[in-house]
């Protein structure tokens, strides 16, 4: 049972029940109320911290007694140990609730701290669509951009292009909401919102990367809201509170940024303290913040309606066609009559060097008159025609009314010092898209609260889509109404300088501009607090999932689970946005991260839909993969439209996180769609991949690595895995196989343990591939099955790599070397290449770096060119990179060694291989006495081993005879009742029992013996009953024959064929040792085994002589086809 549940016995009385109610968490009662499962909120040490995934419904040992009672289901009583009855499962499901591991628990933990803890049972979530999804989404979507930048965007881009921006961005969020609704209604979504949905749909790598991007987006959103708060405070509420004041007009922008940095940092610190002290205060203020947003929207619509019949009086002063900052003058006049005397105004002193009428004034001021126009002409004024199209321009461009007459001045160098309204940044369409997009984010608010909803699968789609539809209507109507009511020069006045520093959208509102100013101020404050509340919990969820190791420290917090460390990191990242200080610069940054998050939500839905995974059954039916792909494409397009370099940086960050999780992260199996996609892609590729051998140009060794395991099922020769890694360099197919003796029914646990050990060794040795351990009645058959069946379709191995059986001489059992020779024969029959590594434990590890040295190839016979390809592949790895390649070939007496060397050099040149070439001449020589003697000793040893062992038939005869004689003796003793003869038969009986056991063992293992012994193992001879006299006669005859055989051994002469083979092995070994004893690796053609199986042991002896005195040797036997070509 999971660590998160504790079984508590419950009695019949009320006292026990009250104790269970007082325990922490909540209870799940089973049938008859026998045990109670207490749920603990502590993070699961073995899972990913999500209660939904960490609490299994399948029964455990503690539940078994309650699941089967009575005889009605006796047919299924065997199943009850592992599978629950349906009634029990449904009971658990009905009582299972999903409480968000977030703000609510932390608030309860704060309330319950103290000496008298009295926990109340957790109530079922009861939030409906309106309160739980619609209003939170509305509050998150509507915000700072609407109040501070939408009028400026409409004036700069015009109504048509502003509508295009709104339609594009709202379409993006609507398509994303459709995809999100499909994912959110495909089962219960615990708290975590988009991170949970993406990670469980696309896997931990994508989930971690996009989850962190979403976290960064939420954090920078907090920066944006704080900057918006400070901008409202310093520009529209208390401008006199500015610390940095500009002496000159050109310094105003820099002074504003510095003020934003100072006040923004203070505001961030204050908000972080509020969040740290208790999020319950933020939750209690949420309704106030929502009311501010709604009242502000209503005030805007009321003001628009009022302009139709009574436009407000907000005069705008123009000099020529240029808009003036209306801060330092009251009347839009150059001069005025006071007591029949013409005097200059404050406006005059702004453009002239003195208040006198004969003062020197700015040329443009002199040439043009001042005019007054209404800032808000009203709905019926027809100003909408002037605002249809945009007016983009560079930084410093003056805001002008194109319909006013103007006399241009020759000198414009002094314009930047004059009180004109001008652009503070360079404006263009794509910039406005990036600045506007944050105003449509916030659609995840409903899914983030899924744990608090009465019916999340119904509320999330309806509430989210209705909220997007509502806000889309608000934005579209606002764009049209702003363009129809407000003069263009006022719309393009970002900070309201032309209307005495009022908020432009505020002057439109009714009854007072302060409604919008105060409402937007508190709205931005609330949004900033919510960002600082939500972002640390998102980071904490990612950290507790354990997929990003270096973030695990941020999974810890206060005793009540409050993410203290995550809050500190969030505050630090938020400060970066504060130091940027410009709302227009921060908005595109968070646009990138949100767009990337929405992109992957759409991809997740499209992927699951196209893969048609059996678990993909959303209750929300109004989705389609084409809509999801359209949404993903729109997200990607908007990323690059907004800012191509920010998009590249965001994708680079996500890519780095993805690769880091893939390389270092914890392995999680969440049933994600990427695994399904990989499976479909693999199936498609395997079907297309022809089973025919690949072209020579595409040939590479696809390895089947045959491993031997020790008694603990650990890998005997891990260096074989290292060598395979160095040879493959991660390319192509690698299958690591091994065999356990026995049946799978009895060896299942050992097979799984062996697979785990091999996988662990593969990870240590960086071997990328597949592991396969089989159980077979004997090793020979097991390795044969692996050679025949490993791989799938066109992805089959073409090369077998194994270690040399180094202890074949010391072993009394010939099975080891016979298995080796049979493997050689089978690979030859299967047309597969064979690599045999001798002294494999001395091969270099992946961490070694071999210095200057050589890889020597002894090319005796041509078997497809594998000998020359292997050194090239090895030298691609850093272990062997510094080694040089030398090729030796053998010339006989009638060969022209000089011409052979030239031809070989030309051949290597065409193969594009760099290697030294040497031709070794082996002259015919007489067979030495040493060779003759070595062959004779080899054959004598083989003959002695054969004669020292009784044949299986003779052993079984002897055992049967002893058994029969003992049984007859026991019967006789029992009949006569002679107690004095007890000792003899009792000893015989003991011997008989041991021999009978040996006979049973021999019969069971008879099928694993050598092929040439089968004829003597007939059952008709094994079961014959012998008399004692016959047995004694036969045994004496066998012993006499054995003694005669031993005498013949010392008089025998060696076989001439064996003498010639031994001669070749000795002479070739001398040459190889002479030339290559100091080489890092020697590659040598492997001679084939004899066709006559009677010479198998001699074959092993020949190979041993051939390799004597060499450290690292790789015997190579080709698969019978060309693997290297001179053609391109």
């Amino acid at each position: 049972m999971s660590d998160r549940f504790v079984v508590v016995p419950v009695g019949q009385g009320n006292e026990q029940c009250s104790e269970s109610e007082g325990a922490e968490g909540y209870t799940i009662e089973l049938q008859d109320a026998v045990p109670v499962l207490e749920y603990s909120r502590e993070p699961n040490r073995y899972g990913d911290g999500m209660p939904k995934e960490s609490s299994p419904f399948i029964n455990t040992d503690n539940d078994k007694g309650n699941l089967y009672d009575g005889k009605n289901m006796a047919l299924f009583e065997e199943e009850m140990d592992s599978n629950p009855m349906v009634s029990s499962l449904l009971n658990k499901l009905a009582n299972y609730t999903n409480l968000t591991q977030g703000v609510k628990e932390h608030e309860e933990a704060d309330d319950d701290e103290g000496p008298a803890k009295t926990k109340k049972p957790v109530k079922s979530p009861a939030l409906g669509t309106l309160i739980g999804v619609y209003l939170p989404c509305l509050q998150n979507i509507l915000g700072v951009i609407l109040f501070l930048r939408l009028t400026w965007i409409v004036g700069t881009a015009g109504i048509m292009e502003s509508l295009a921006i709104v339609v594009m961005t709202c379409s993006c969020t609507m398509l994303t909401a459709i995809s999100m609704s499909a994912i959110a209604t495909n089962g219960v979504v615990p708290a975590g919102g988009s991170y949970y949905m993406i990670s469980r749909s696309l896997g931990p790598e994508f989930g971690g990367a996009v989850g962190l991007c979403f976290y960064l987006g939420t954090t920078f959103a907090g920066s944006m809201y704080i900057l918006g708060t400070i901008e409202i405070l310093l520009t529209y509420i208390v401008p006199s509170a500015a610390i940095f004041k500009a002496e000159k007009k050109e310094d105003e922008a820099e002074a504003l940024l510095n003020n934003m940095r100072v006040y923004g940092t203070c505001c961030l610190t204050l908000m972080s303290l509020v969040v740290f002290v208790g999020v319950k205060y933020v939750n209690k203020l949420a309704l106030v913040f929502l009311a501010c947003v709604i009242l502000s929207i209503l005030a805007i619509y009321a003001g628009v309606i009022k302009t139709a019949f009574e436009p407000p009086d907000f005069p705008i002063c123009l000099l020529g066609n240029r808009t003036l900052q209306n801060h330092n003058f009251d009347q839009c006049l150059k001069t005025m009559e006071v007591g029949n005397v013409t005097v200059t105004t404050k406006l005059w002193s702004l453009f002239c060097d003195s208040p006198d009428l004969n003062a020197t004034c700015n040329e443009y001021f002199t040439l043009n008159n001042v005019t007054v126009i209404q800032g808000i002409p009203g709905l019926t004024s027809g100003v909408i025609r002037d605002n249809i199209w945009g007016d983009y321009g560079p930084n410093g461009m003056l805001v002008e009314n194109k319909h006013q007459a103007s006399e241009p001045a020759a000198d414009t160098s002094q314009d930047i010092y004059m009180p004109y309204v001008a652009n503070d940044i360079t404006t263009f369409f794509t910039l406005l898209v990036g600045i506007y997009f944050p105003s449509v984010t916030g659609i995840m608010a409903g899914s983030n609260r899924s744990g608090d909803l009465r019916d999340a699968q119904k509320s999330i789609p309806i509430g989210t889509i209705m909220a997007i539809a509502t806000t889309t209507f608000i934005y579209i109507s606002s764009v049209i109404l702003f363009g129809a009511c407000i003069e263009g020069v006022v719309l393009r006045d970002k900070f309201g300088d032309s209307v005495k520093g009022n908020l432009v959208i505020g002057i439109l509102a009714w009854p007072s501009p302060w409604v919008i100013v105060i409402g937007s101020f508190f709205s931005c404050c609330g949004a900033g607090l919510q960002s600082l509340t939500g972002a640390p919990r998102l980071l904490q969820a990612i950290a507790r999932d354990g997929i990003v190791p270096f973030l695990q420290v941020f999974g810890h917090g206060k005793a009540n689970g409050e993410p203290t460390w995550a809050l500190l990191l969030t505050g630090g990242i938020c400060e970066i946005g504060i130091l940027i200080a410009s709302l227009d610069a921060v908005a595109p940054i968070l646009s990138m991260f949100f767009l990337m998050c929405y992109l992957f939500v759409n991809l997740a839905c499209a992927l699951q839909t196209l893969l048609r995974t059996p678990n993909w059954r959303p209750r929300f039916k109004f989705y389609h993969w084409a809509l999801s792909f359209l949404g993903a494409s729109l997200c990607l397009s908007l990323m690059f439209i907004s800012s191509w370099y920010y998009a590249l940086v965001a994708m680079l960050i996500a890519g780095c996180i993805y690769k880091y999780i893939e390389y270092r992260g914890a392995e999680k199996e969440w049933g994600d769609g990427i695994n399904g996609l990989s499976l479909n892609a693999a199936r498609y590729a395997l079907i297309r991949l022809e089973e025919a051998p690949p072209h020579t140009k595409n040939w590479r060794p696809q390895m089947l690595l045959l491993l031997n395991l020790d008694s603990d099922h650990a890998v005997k020769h891990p260096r074989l895995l290292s060598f395979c890694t160095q040879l493959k360099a991660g390319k192509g197919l690698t299958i690591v196989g091994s065999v356990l003796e026995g049946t799978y029914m009895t060896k299942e646990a050992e097979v799984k343990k062996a697979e785990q050990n091999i996988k662990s060794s593969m990870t240590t040795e960086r071997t990328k591939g597949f592991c396969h351990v089989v159980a077979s009645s004997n090793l020979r058959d097991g390795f044969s099955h692996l050679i025949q069946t490993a791989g799938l379709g066109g992805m089959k191995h073409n090369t077998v790599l194994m270690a040399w059986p180094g202890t074949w001489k010391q072993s009394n059992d010939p099975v080891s070397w016979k298995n080796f020779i049979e493997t050689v024969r089978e690979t030859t029959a299967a047309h597969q290449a064979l690599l045999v590594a001798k002294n494999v434990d001395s091969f270099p590890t992946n961490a070694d770096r071999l210095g200057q040295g050589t890889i020597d190839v002894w090319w005796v016979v041509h078997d497809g060119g594998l000998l020359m390809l292997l050194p090239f592949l090895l030298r691609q790895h850093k272990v062997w990179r510094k080694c040089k390649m030398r090729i030796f070939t053998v010339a006989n007496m009638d060969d022209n060694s000089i011409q052979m060397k030239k031809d070989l050099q030309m051949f290597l040149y065409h193969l594009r291989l760099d290697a030294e070439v040497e031709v070794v001449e082996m002259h015919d020589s007489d067979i030495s006495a040493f060779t003759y003697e070595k062959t004779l000793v080899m054959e004598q040893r083989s003959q002695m081993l054969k004669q020292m062992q009784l044949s299986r038939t003779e052993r079984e005869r002897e055992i049967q005879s002893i058994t029969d004689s003992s049984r007859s003796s026991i019967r006789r003793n029992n009949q006569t009742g002679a107690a004095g003869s007890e000792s003899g038969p009792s000893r015989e009986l003991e011997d008989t029992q041991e021999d009978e056991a040996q006979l049973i063992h021999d019969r069971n293992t008879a099928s694993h013996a050598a092929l040439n012994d089968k004829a003597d193992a007939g059952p008709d001879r094994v079961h014959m009953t012998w008399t004692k006299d016959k047995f004694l006669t036969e045994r004496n005859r066998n012993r006499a024959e054995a003694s005669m055989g031993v005498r013949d051994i010392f008089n025998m002469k060696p076989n001439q064929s064996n003498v010639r083979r031994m001669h070749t092995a000795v002479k070739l070994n001398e040459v190889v040792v002479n030339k290559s004893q100091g080489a890092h690796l020697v590659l040598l053609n492997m001679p084939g085994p004899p066709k006559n199986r009677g010479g198998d042991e001699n074959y092993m002896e020949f190979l041993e002589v051939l390799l004597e005195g060499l450290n690292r040797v790789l015997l190579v036997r080709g698969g019978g086809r060309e693997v290297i070509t001179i053609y391109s």
Side-chain angles (χ1 to χ4, degrees):
M1 180 172 288
S2 172
D3 287 359
R4 306 185 67 150
F5 292 95
V6 182
V7 178
V8 180
V10 177
Q12 299 296 325
N14 295 330
E15 295 178 359
Q16 297 285 347
C17 296
S18 62
E19 288 177 8
S20 66
E21 288 180 358
E24 182 180 11
Y26 55 88
T27 63
I28 302 176
E29 297 185 2
L30 296 179
Q31 290 177 339
D32 300 329
V34 178
V36 171
L37 293 180
E38 287 190 347
Y39 183 75
S40 171
R41 289 195 186 94
E42 287 298 317
N44 194 327
R45 289 175 294 174
Y46 306 108
D48 51 13
M50 300 304 296
K52 279 267 189 235
E53 296 184 87
S54 306
S55 49
F57 289 113
I58 300 301
N59 303 310
T60 58
D61 295 337
N62 297 322
D63 300 329
K64 290 178 183 175
N66 312 302
L67 299 175
Y68 170 68
D69 186 17
K71 299 179 181 178
N72 292 334
M73 291 293 160
L75 181 61
F76 295 96
E77 59 184 299
E78 296 285 341
E79 309 279 333
M80 298 302 171
D81 289 339
S82 57
N83 299 323
M85 289 183 66
V86 174
S87 58
S88 171
L89 178 63
L90 293 177
N91 192 21
K92 285 185 177 182
L93 285 169
N95 286 281
Y96 184 80
T97 58
N98 171 35
L99 188 66
T100 308
Q101 180 69 25
V103 175
K104 202 166 196 175
E105 286 83 346
H106 300 152
E107 187 175 332
E108 290 171 356
D110 285 337
D111 291 338
D112 294 328
E113 288 177 357
K117 282 190 178 181
T118 55
K119 292 270 187 177
K120 297 180 180 179
V122 176
K123 296 180 181 179
S124 299
L127 293 182
T129 303
L130 180 67
I131 302 297
V133 180
Y134 179 76
L135 291 179
C137 284
L138 207 66
Q139 180 184 357
N140 278 266
I141 295 173
L142 300 171
V144 60
I145 300 296
L146 169 65
F147 299 121
L148 295 183
R149 292 292 182 269
L150 188 57
T151 54
W152 173 72
I153 289 173
V154 173
T156 305
I159 294 175
M160 298 304 294
E161 292 184 32
S162 297
L163 287 175
I165 294 173
V166 172
V167 169
M168 275 196 306
T169 53
C170 291
S171 299
C172 174
T173 54
M174 180 62 81
L175 292 172
T176 304
I178 291 172
S179 299
M180 184 193 72
S181 299
I183 297 174
T185 57
N186 187 50
V188 180
V189 178
S194 61
Y195 163 68
Y196 183 92
M197 290 188 291
I198 294 171
S199 61
R200 270 54 176 183
S201 298
L202 294 179
E205 293 88 359
F206 279 111
V210 180
L212 284 175
C213 285
F214 189 49
Y215 163 74
L216 291 174
T218 307
T219 305
F220 276 104
S223 302
M224 183 185 73
Y225 292 130
I226 292 173
L227 290 174
T229 303
I230 302 305
E231 183 176 314
I232 294 170
L233 179 71
L234 294 181
T235 308
Y236 307 114
I237 299 179
V238 279
S240 58
I243 298 173
F244 301 91
K245 299 184 184 294
E247 298 295 333
K248 301 177 182 178
K249 179 179 179 294
E250 60 269 22
D251 298 333
E252 288 178 355
E254 189 62 33
L256 176 62
L257 294 181
N258 289 330
N259 285 317
M260 299 278 276
R261 292 184 180 107
V262 173
Y263 277 96
T265 303
C266 296
C267 184
L268 172 62
T269 306
L270 182 63
M271 287 185 175
S272 300
L273 285 174
V274 171
V275 173
F276 177 77
V277 169
V279 292
K280 55 186 177 183
Y281 303 113
V282 179
N283 290 336
K284 289 175 181 177
L285 290 173
L287 190 60
V288 176
F289 301 143
L290 177 61
C292 291
V293 173
I294 295 176
L295 287 175
S296 299
I297 299 294
L298 293 177
I300 292 170
Y301 281 111
V304 168
I305 294 172
K306 184 174 180 292
T307 62
F309 51 85
E310 187 183 343
D313 182 25
F314 279 97
I316 308 299
C317 186
L318 301 180
L319 177 62
N321 63 357
R322 298 177 181 179
T323 310
L324 297 178
Q325 293 182 352
N326 193 0
H327 290 298
N328 300 318
F329 61 91
D330 298 324
Q331 295 176 317
C332 187
L333 296 170
K334 290 183 179 181
T335 60
M336 62 181 182
E337 298 288 334
V338 178
N340 295 325
V341 178
T342 302
V343 296
T344 59
T345 62
K346 291 182 179 179
L347 181 62
W348 178 282
S349 60
L350 294 176
F351 287 89
C352 302
D353 56 4
S354 72
D356 301 331
L357 290 172
N358 58 355
T360 304
C361 296
N362 178 268
E363 182 184 359
Y364 188 84
F365 182 77
T366 306
L367 294 175
N368 293 275
N369 294 322
V370 291
T371 53
V372 177
I373 62 172
Q374 279 300 320
I376 302 180
L379 271 176
T380 58
S381 64
V383 73
I384 189 172
R385 291 190 297 270
D386 301 332
N387 294 329
I388 289 291
W389 304 109
D391 187 12
Y392 302 104
N395 184 9
M397 186 188 81
L398 303 181
V399 176
E400 300 175 344
N401 188 330
K402 305 297 183 184
H403 302 286
Q404 291 288 334
S406 173
E407 288 291 332
D411 182 18
T412 59
S413 60
Q414 298 300 311
D415 289 348
I416 60 172
Y417 306 109
M418 298 294 112
Y420 297 126
V421 177
N423 288 350
D424 63 330
I425 57 173
T426 302
T427 54
F428 44 90
F429 177 77
T430 57
L431 173 74
L432 300 186
V433 174
I435 293 175
Y436 175 77
F437 187 80
S439 66
V440 297
T441 60
I443 63 173
M444 300 291 182
S447 63
N448 289 345
R449 290 167 172 79
S450 59
D452 302 325
L453 300 175
R454 186 185 306 115
D455 185 359
Q457 297 192 4
K458 176 183 176 182
S459 298
I460 289 177
I462 296 175
T464 305
I465 292 174
M466 288 302 296
I468 294 175
T470 304
T471 53
T472 302
F473 170 77
I474 291 174
Y475 284 132
I476 291 176
S477 61
S478 296
V479 167
I480 296 172
L481 293 175
F482 291 165
C485 293
I486 305 175
E487 182 64 45
V489 291
V490 180
L491 288 173
R492 293 195 293 278
D493 182 5
K494 183 186 291 186
F495 300 108
D497 292 324
S498 61
V499 286
K500 295 187 179 296
N502 283 303
L503 183 62
V504 173
I505 197 173
I507 64 175
L508 179 64
W510 180 86
S512 167
W514 286 100
V515 175
I516 298 293
V517 172
I518 301 300
S520 60
F521 177 79
F522 282 111
S523 171
C524 291
C525 281
L529 282 171
Q530 287 179 342
S531 295
L532 290 177
T533 303
R537 281 165 182 77
L538 179 60
L539 181 63
Q540 187 182 45
I542 298 171
R544 286 185 172 178
D545 262 351
I547 58 174
V548 185
F550 71 84
L551 288 180
Q552 289 184 356
V553 65
F554 298 108
H556 308 295
K558 292 197 295 186
N560 63 346
E562 188 73 18
T564 309
W565 294 107
L567 179 61
L568 285 175
L569 180 65
T570 303
I573 298 174
C574 213
E575 179 63 19
I576 297 173
I578 299 291
L579 294 177
I580 294 174
S582 172
L583 186 69
D584 303 320
V586 173
I589 296 176
L590 65 101
S591 295
M592 292 304 115
F593 292 123
F594 278 119
L595 279 167
M596 181 165 290
C597 177
Y598 298 164
L599 166 70
F600 281 100
V601 169
N602 284 295
L603 278 183
C605 179
L607 187 64
Q608 297 277 28
T609 307
L610 288 176
L611 290 177
R612 298 177 184 174
T613 51
N615 193 51
W616 180 246
R617 303 184 298 275
R619 289 194 176 278
F620 179 76
K621 300 300 182 184
F622 304 100
Y623 70 94
H624 194 269
W625 64 266
L627 292 177
S628 299
F629 268 125
L630 180 61
S633 304
L634 196 53
C635 289
L636 190 62
S637 303
L638 285 173
M639 286 177 68
F640 283 93
I641 286 173
S642 302
S643 175
W644 63 268
Y645 46 89
Y646 278 163
L648 291 178
V649 170
M651 295 174 75
L652 180 64
I653 292 173
C656 291
I657 298 169
Y658 177 94
K659 294 305 292 183
Y660 176 79
I661 295 173
E662 186 181 52
Y663 179 66
R664 289 290 306 277
E667 293 184 4
K668 297 282 183 181
E669 176 50 58
W670 286 332
D672 52 84
I674 290 296
N675 283 343
L677 180 64
S678 301
L679 184 63
N680 272 5
R683 181 187 63 84
Y684 177 75
L686 281 172
I687 290 174
R688 291 201 60 186
L689 190 64
E690 297 180 3
E691 290 200 30
H695 192 274
T696 304
K697 291 185 289 187
N698 297 327
W699 194 95
R700 67 165 59 247
Q702 316 285 9
M703 308 292 295
L704 170 62
L705 185 56
L706 300 180
L707 288 179
N708 291 323
L709 305 178
D710 59 20
S711 57
D712 294 329
H713 306 299
V715 178
K716 271 188 181 179
H717 305 293
R719 297 288 180 89
L720 203 60
L721 290 167
S722 305
F723 181 71
C724 181
T725 302
Q726 295 156 20
L727 186 62
K728 299 286 294 178
K731 305 295 190 301
L733 174 71
T734 301
I735 303 173
V736 181
S738 189
V739 179
L740 297 183
E741 282 194 272
T743 63
Y744 187 73
M745 296 292 292
T746 59
K747 296 285 185 180
E748 178 190 3
E750 296 177 34
V751 166
K752 291 181 178 177
K753 179 184 177 184
E755 284 186 346
Q756 290 300 321
N757 291 341
I758 292 176
K759 287 178 180 177
S760 176
S761 297
M762 290 173 67
T763 303
T764 304
E765 304 298 337
R766 301 176 189 171
T767 304
K768 295 181 180 179
F770 309 99
C771 170
H772 191 33
V773 178
V774 298
S776 180
S777 57
N778 57 75
L779 295 177
R780 172 73 226 96
D781 291 344
F783 284 123
S784 175
H785 295 156
L786 282 174
I787 291 172
Q788 293 177 63
T789 62
L792 182 64
M795 283 293 287
K796 292 184 70 70
H797 63 279
N798 54 29
T799 305
V800 177
L801 173 61
M802 60 190 302
W804 171 263
T807 60
W808 72 274
K809 274 190 174 182
Q810 288 77 19
S811 176
N812 293 327
D813 186 7
V815 171
S816 61
W817 56 264
K818 286 189 176 182
N819 285 346
F820 173 78
I821 296 175
E822 289 301 316
T823 303
V824 176
R825 288 194 173 103
E826 289 214 358
T827 54
T828 304
H831 301 289
Q832 295 173 4
L834 176 66
L835 309 179
V836 179
K838 190 171 185 293
N839 299 327
V840 69
D841 293 328
S842 67
F843 275 51
T845 65
N846 291 322
D848 294 335
R849 299 292 181 269
L850 298 179
Q852 297 294 333
T854 60
I855 301 175
D856 288 358
V857 177
W858 284 85
W859 192 19
V860 181
V861 294
H862 179 62
D863 53 1
L866 183 58
L867 269 172
M868 286 169 287
L869 184 61
L870 291 177
F872 170 77
L873 296 175
L874 279 176
R875 290 176 63 202
Q876 307 303 307
H877 197 274
K878 49 193 172 186
V879 173
W880 303 90
R881 190 162 292 158
K882 294 182 180 179
C883 297
K884 294 182 179 179
M885 179 177 167
R886 294 194 302 179
I887 295 184
F888 297 89
T889 189
V890 178
N892 295 319
M893 281 293 294
D894 52 350
D895 293 328
N896 184 343
S897 58
I898 297 175
Q899 187 61 39
M900 278 182 66
K901 184 173 182 178
K902 290 181 179 179
D903 293 343
L904 183 54
Q905 287 174 335
M906 182 59 65
F907 182 57
L908 292 175
Y909 174 78
H910 287 305
L911 289 176
R912 290 91 63 200
L913 295 176
D914 296 325
E916 298 179 12
V917 175
E918 187 170 342
V919 177
V920 178
E921 296 181 353
M922 289 187 64
H923 303 290
D924 287 340
S925 60
D926 294 334
I927 296 172
S928 64
F930 170 77
T931 302
Y932 188 88
E933 189 68 27
K934 199 168 184 66
T935 310
L936 181 59
V937 170
M938 176 188 73
E939 293 191 355
Q940 287 176 346
R941 176 180 177 276
S942 177
Q943 195 66 23
M944 286 179 69
L945 287 174
K946 287 179 181 177
Q947 294 191 359
M948 282 171 64
Q949 297 176 349
L950 291 173
S951 68
R952 181 180 294 103
T953 306
E954 291 165 350
R955 289 169 60 196
E956 291 179 351
R957 284 175 183 172
E958 184 173 353
I959 294 167
Q960 182 67 40
S961 173
I962 294 171
T963 304
D964 290 345
S965 63
S966 356
R967 284 174 179 167
S968 62
S969 216
I970 291 168
R971 282 196 296 269
R972 285 196 305 271
N973 288 334
N974 288 338
Q975 289 170 0
T976 59
S981 60
E982 184 180 356
S983 60
S986 64
R987 281 197 304 269
E988 279 192 68
L989 181 59
E990 292 173 3
D991 296 339
T992 302
Q993 290 172 346
E994 294 178 4
D995 290 333
E996 282 183 335
Q998 181 65 35
L999 176 59
I1000 292 169
H1001 172 75
D1002 288 341
R1003 284 177 180 172
N1004 289 339
T1005 57
S1007 62
H1008 312 331
L1011 296 173
N1012 55 0
D1013 290 331
K1014 285 185 178 178
D1016 298 329
D1020 56 332
R1021 302 184 66 180
V1022 172
H1023 296 288
M1024 286 176 62
T1025 302
W1026 287 47
T1027 65
K1028 187 172 183 179
D1029 295 336
K1030 285 183 179 181
F1031 163 67
L1032 292 174
T1033 304
E1034 182 69 15
R1035 184 170 64 180
N1036 292 334
R1037 184 177 66 81
N1038 288 338
R1039 289 175 178 172
E1041 289 177 358
S1043 62
M1044 288 292 293
V1046 171
R1047 287 196 298 271
D1048 290 340
I1049 286 174
F1050 295 102
N1051 298 327
M1052 67 185 294
K1053 293 183 178 180
N1055 184 289
Q1056 291 300 314
S1057 174
N1058 289 340
V1059 172
R1060 289 198 305 274
R1061 288 184 171 87
M1062 183 63 76
H1063 176 70
T1064 303
V1066 170
K1067 295 296 291 181
L1068 189 56
N1069 175 259
E1070 289 176 0
V1071 175
V1072 174
V1073 169
N1074 182 39
K1075 297 284 187 181
S1076 303
Q1077 193 168 22
H1080 287 316
L1081 180 64
V1082 177
L1083 282 79
L1084 186 65
N1085 281 116
M1086 182 178 185
K1091 295 180 180 178
N1092 178 15
R1093 298 180 186 272
D1096 284 356
E1097 189 175 2
N1098 296 336
Y1099 172 70
M1100 296 296 293
E1101 190 72 44
F1102 296 146
L1103 292 181
E1104 195 71 59
V1105 171
L1106 180 62
L1107 306 178
E1108 191 175 356
L1110 298 172
N1111 183 21
R1112 300 182 190 132
V1113 184
L1114 186 67
L1115 289 173
V1116 181
R1117 184 161 177 78
R1121 58 160 295 163
E1122 292 291 334
V1123 300
I1124 193 167
T1125 177
I1126 64 174
Y1127 299 105
S1128 61

